[in-house]
Amino acid sequence: MTYLRYAPDIETPAPDEQKSIDGIIQGMTQQSQVVEKRERHAVRASHAKSSACVTGELVVPEGLPPELAQGLFAKPGMHKVAVRFAQGPGETLGDRVSTHRGMSIKVFGVPGEKLPGHDVETQDFVLATGTTFPSGTAAGFLRDGTVIGKATGLPEGVKSAAAATARNLNRVLHAFGTESAMADFLGHPYSHPLADSYFSQAPMRFGDYVAKLGAVPASQAQLDLAEWRLDPHDDEDGFRHAAAAFFRDNEVVYELKAQLWADAERQPIEDASVDWPVAVSPYRTVATLRLPRQDAYSPERVHYFDEVMTFRPAHSLAEHRPLGSVMRARLQVYRALSDFRHRENGVTAENTASPESIPA
């Protein structure tokens, strides 16, 4: 198979893109202010409620083919990692409001040229459930974010009902062999957080190439969770309790996979709402993520992950530069909202450079 090469001119920003990005920052900051007033604390503007905060290792195997042996994955070896699993909303809600989930990975000991402003040897991969970002572009991000922002002040019961409606819509669509990415974003099944797959949703540079990334459960114990479902009426923090209980007894393993860019028309760079067909380019394993048995929710570690540590697409090698409209927005939005959160809480943000900084 022939894969397309990275070049700076593959990105084509819209003329008014910065206006959209400024609008996203303004809207999400206002949303965060509403949540802060209610919770008396500033939380992440997305993925606020963590379910597991863990450490482990990323193993890059020997013998990757040249098109996969790129950037971080160019040399075989082991890297320490920190991984945060979280629920999607930018507020602390009960788990009956089950929306998309996030998985943020910080890889340590990564030398090489970094993006401007990133001054430590780490690489962050910020992933979420769903292979696409339904809003597609910065302009769509602003449009959909405005709707979500207006709903921030509504009672939790209304948000639960909206999530249930979206979840039921996808149940109907599944009967016809399809689904809605937006419905899953707003109403994800009550599945186990460690049974889900997570994706970059938008592309990034992959050394000489371009790729989307995915993290897919790879242990039998995780695969056995496929039919697990939470009853949120029994436990409003059930995803957290289920993840912590699983980590007490099991190693968690993911295969980190890259889907290389091979068709400019069917795999657009600028529209993250378009699913890249696996028939055009399959996801191929580039590394194994191993997270050993551990206390996944110790108070000291959770405080560090939730309040101090930052995960951003901008924490990146130049060879893994985020690409496309949504990713260019994220480069600015994540920083602005992190600055707001840390400033409001009186906490100094830390671009963690070493796994030794992480509490046990």
Side-chain angles (χ1 to χ4, degrees):
M1 180 178 289
T2 301
Y3 297 106
L4 302 178
R5 297 273 178 155
Y6 168 79
D9 63 0
I10 65 173
E11 292 188 279
T12 54
D16 60 348
E17 183 175 271
Q18 188 58 50
K19 182 178 179 180
S20 294
I21 294 172
D22 292 341
I24 295 166
I25 292 172
Q26 179 182 8
M28 294 190 73
T29 300
Q30 292 172 345
Q31 173 186 331
S32 294
Q33 290 170 334
V34 171
V35 174
E36 180 186 12
K37 184 176 180 180
R38 183 175 64 239
E39 300 195 15
R40 302 181 186 277
H41 187 76
V43 298
R44 280 175 164 83
S46 60
H47 302 140
K49 185 180 180 181
S50 59
S51 52
C53 301
V54 295
T55 59
E57 61 185 32
L58 184 77
V59 180
V60 179
E62 296 183 1
L64 286 177
E67 68 273 17
L68 296 180
Q70 301 284 327
L72 168 63
F73 311 99
K75 295 181 180 179
M78 186 274 287
H79 299 268
K80 297 290 186 181
V81 297
V83 182
R84 181 179 185 267
F85 295 87
Q87 300 303 105
E91 51 187 323
T92 309
L93 300 173
D95 287 351
R96 59 187 176 138
V97 188
S98 178
T99 70
H100 65 293
R101 285 91 178 268
M103 176 187 188
S104 297
I105 306 169
K106 187 178 294 291
V107 186
F108 296 100
V110 182
E113 180 187 356
K114 306 298 191 299
L115 295 186
H118 183 43
D119 56 2
V120 301
E121 295 199 337
T122 60
Q123 168 71 49
D124 288 5
F125 296 119
V126 180
L127 313 178
T129 48
T131 55
T132 63
F133 187 73
S135 301
T137 63
F141 193 165
L142 174 60
R143 178 197 64 232
D144 295 341
T146 299
V147 174
I148 294 171
K150 289 179 178 178
T152 301
L154 295 176
E156 184 170 318
V158 175
K159 297 168 186 173
S160 175
T165 299
R167 197 159 39 248
N168 289 334
L169 171 61
N170 259 350
R171 286 199 188 101
V172 173
L173 293 176
H174 287 162
F176 294 93
T178 185
E179 68 176 12
S180 163
M182 181 59 79
D184 187 75
F185 183 88
L186 297 173
H188 192 71
Y190 289 116
S191 54
H192 198 292
L194 303 178
D196 280 334
S197 295
Y198 297 84
F199 302 90
S200 66
Q201 300 182 327
M204 65 186 66
R205 183 179 175 182
F206 199 77
D208 293 332
Y209 301 90
V210 174
K212 291 185 179 184
L213 294 186
V216 179
S219 77
Q220 187 59 52
Q222 287 165 269
L223 298 178
D224 289 343
L225 295 172
E227 301 304 318
W228 184 97
R229 293 295 182 269
L230 173 70
D231 182 349
H233 300 292
D234 287 344
D235 188 352
E236 285 281 275
D237 297 316
F239 295 128
R240 174 183 296 168
H241 294 151
F246 192 85
F247 267 110
R248 279 196 296 270
D249 298 326
N250 301 275
E251 178 186 44
V252 171
V253 183
Y254 286 87
E255 294 294 329
L256 191 64
K257 296 175 178 286
Q259 184 187 29
L260 293 175
W261 188 42
D263 186 321
E265 291 188 4
R266 288 189 286 176
Q267 297 176 304
I269 297 297
E270 293 296 340
D271 187 351
S273 70
V274 177
D275 201 5
W276 286 12
V278 293
V280 173
S281 178
Y283 281 90
R284 301 164 65 192
T285 300
V286 293
T288 300
L289 181 67
R290 294 191 174 277
L291 307 172
R293 292 174 13 175
Q294 59 193 284
D295 183 350
Y297 219 76
S298 71
E300 295 82 5
R301 179 179 287 179
V302 169
H303 178 269
Y304 185 79
F305 272 65
D306 286 359
E307 305 296 333
V308 180
M309 189 184 291
T310 57
F311 295 89
R312 299 179 191 168
H315 293 165
S316 175
L317 288 167
E319 288 191 295
H320 292 310
R321 180 184 188 88
L323 300 173
S325 184
V326 165
M327 285 295 208
R328 288 192 298 274
R330 285 173 170 170
L331 290 174
Q332 298 183 48
V333 171
Y334 273 65
R335 177 172 182 173
L337 295 172
S338 176
D339 288 348
F340 169 83
R341 174 169 59 91
H342 287 96
R343 182 174 63 250
E344 290 297 298
N345 292 336
V347 174
T348 301
E350 184 174 323
N351 187 6
T352 308
S354 166
E356 281 69 39
S357 300
I358 300 172

